[in-house]
């Protein structure tokens, strides 16, 4: 699992519960269509799994 993940917030967090909003913020995403690159770790994958319906993920 070495590498990077390109994570983009594609849906709004307005209807999400507060816990999901915190996960999105912990991933470093603040605005719609913002993209961040994070290391491909089990912790990152777990956070992505919690809010996968709000994100688009590309492997680099």
């Amino acid at each position: 699992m070495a590498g990077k993940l390109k994570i983009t917030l594609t849906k709004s967090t307005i209807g999400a519960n507060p816990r999901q909003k915190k996960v999105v913020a912990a991933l470093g995403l603040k605005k719609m269509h913002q993209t961040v690159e994070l290391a491909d770790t089990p912790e990152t994958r777990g956070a992505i799994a919690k809010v996968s319906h709000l994100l688009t993920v590309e492997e680099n």
Side-chain angles (χ1 to χ4, degrees):
M1 277 201 203
K4 295 271 186 179
L5 296 173
K6 189 182 269 188
I7 305 164
T8 306
L9 183 62
T10 54
K11 293 194 178 179
S12 175
T13 59
I14 289 174
N17 66 32
R19 191 171 190 173
Q20 290 173 334
K21 289 181 185 181
K22 288 181 182 179
V23 172
V24 170
L27 288 170
L29 298 166
K30 297 176 181 160
K31 297 181 177 182
M32 290 273 301
H33 306 291
Q34 181 182 3
T35 302
V36 294
E37 280 197 25
L38 298 174
D40 188 3
T41 63
E43 293 82 6
T44 305
R45 290 283 184 167
I48 291 169
K50 297 271 185 191
V51 291
S52 62
H53 58 288
L54 301 175
L55 306 174
T56 301
V57 181
E58 298 174 24
E59 294 187 29
N60 290 343

